[in-house]
Amino acid sequence: MSNQFINLTVENLMQEHLCCIIRSKKPHPGVEAKRSWLSERLKEGHVFRKLDTKGAVFIEYAPLETAWVPVEGENYLYIYCLWVAGEFKGKGYGRQLMEYCLANAKAREKAGVCMLGAKTQKAWLSGQAFAEKYGFETVDTTPDGYRLLALSFDGTKPRFAQSAKRLEITGQELTIYYSPQCPYIHQSVALVRKTCQEMQAPYTLIPVDTLEKAKTLPGAFNNWAVFYQGKFATVNLLDAAALKRFLKKGGYGVSAK
């Protein structure tokens, strides 16, 4: 195992492992969609830094102005994900990745660094208690308990876009906004289609395929956002059991297997 970190570039993107626990000898649709998305984002100053190994040890962040989230601010970096999993935990990799990001922000003369958090820690969100050790603090909230954490270098603060606090849409069916940023999105979308069809429940899948769409979403978003019965529900990816619980609240598939 290497103890060296590398940054993805346009030149090495096609050869490097993308640090998720998807294992496939054949091209994986979710991973390839991620590569395609990254090929454009890297040109915008997006950073994907990973341990030089086939494991989940990485940080991913971008200039806030081009980050695909409904968050606004001037001259900040936004951390999408800081993930150290499995056998790699407890070896200081998370600390090294966070410190690299903070040093990079200062070198780029950024005003600070921010990330999504929640009143109660959510799956698929980076550990906010870890970030708070570095001085990150809550600078904005949504009515349903999501937090914007920031470490400011100059006293300025980022904020949620006003749309992110709306938390409502007109449609009542299960509605999911998604981007190709996470390799798991492809299989999650397939699961939603399959389960909703089995339970004969209406659903709407909305690809977030432009920065403008991402910046004006009606709720918190970190590449996935779920609405049901007109209300924002979660940024968590859904497994089959969680999805069926949502749908049964609406009276669908009570007798479904």
Side-chain angles (χ1 to χ4, degrees):
M1 183 192 308
S2 171
N3 289 319
Q4 299 299 314
F5 287 93
I6 59 174
N7 286 13
L8 295 187
T9 66
V10 174
E11 290 73 27
N12 68 14
L13 177 59
M14 298 307 295
Q15 292 78 41
E16 291 297 333
H17 178 71
L18 293 188
C19 296
C20 286
I21 53 178
I22 292 173
R23 297 285 184 265
S24 176
K25 293 182 179 179
K26 297 180 179 179
H28 186 284
V31 173
E32 297 314 306
K34 168 79 172 188
R35 290 191 201 280
S36 178
W37 186 85
L38 270 177
S39 69
E40 295 300 318
R41 306 287 78 76
L42 292 174
K43 302 171 187 176
E44 302 167 349
H46 187 110
V47 173
F48 191 120
R49 184 171 177 81
K50 52 164 290 204
L51 191 66
D52 189 12
T53 186
K54 290 185 177 181
V57 187
F58 71 99
I59 189 170
E60 186 172 3
Y61 59 88
L64 182 56
E65 291 82 355
T66 56
W68 286 33
V69 289
V71 177
E72 302 171 343
E74 294 73 43
N75 203 33
Y76 263 73
L77 292 181
Y78 178 86
I79 298 176
Y80 287 107
C81 191
L82 171 56
W83 192 11
V84 178
E87 64 184 285
F88 301 101
K89 289 183 176 181
K91 299 181 179 180
Y93 293 138
R95 173 183 56 78
Q96 292 179 62
L97 290 167
M98 176 64 85
E99 291 178 357
Y100 177 89
C101 175
L102 299 183
N104 188 224
K106 292 177 180 178
R108 295 162 70 170
E109 299 184 340
K110 295 295 182 181
V113 181
C114 59
M115 60 183 279
L116 183 64
K119 185 176 180 181
T120 302
Q121 179 68 45
K122 307 286 187 181
W124 302 100
L125 287 183
S126 299
Q128 53 203 26
F130 176 73
E132 288 168 347
K133 293 179 181 179
Y134 287 87
F136 283 75
E137 58 183 6
T138 301
V139 295
D140 201 2
T141 60
T142 64
D144 59 339
Y146 283 90
R147 306 194 293 161
L148 182 62
L149 303 175
L151 173 59
S152 177
F153 301 148
D154 66 359
T156 62
K157 297 178 181 179
R159 58 204 170 273
F160 283 113
Q162 195 58 39
S163 64
K165 298 183 179 184
R166 192 164 73 238
L167 308 176
E168 292 183 345
I169 59 174
T170 56
Q172 295 297 299
E173 71 272 19
L174 179 75
T175 301
I176 298 176
Y177 295 83
Y178 67 96
S179 82
Q181 181 183 359
C182 173
Y184 289 94
I185 296 296
H186 176 81
Q187 60 202 54
S188 295
V189 166
L191 174 66
V192 169
R193 288 195 178 104
K194 180 176 183 293
T195 304
C196 287
Q197 288 167 5
E198 288 177 350
M199 299 181 72
Q200 298 183 331
Y203 66 98
T204 299
L205 295 167
I206 303 175
V208 178
D209 49 14
T210 67
L211 177 63
E212 182 180 7
K213 287 181 181 179
K215 288 296 187 188
T216 57
L217 286 167
F221 184 75
N222 212 44
N223 63 52
W224 180 266
V226 180
F227 288 76
Y228 192 50
Q229 298 180 334
K231 304 293 185 181
F232 176 77
T234 183
V235 299
N236 289 0
L237 298 179
L238 302 175
D239 60 21
L243 179 53
K244 289 178 179 179
R245 285 196 296 271
F246 269 111
L247 297 176
K248 285 180 180 178
K249 289 179 182 178
Y252 295 102
V254 174
S255 61
K257 293 181 180 180

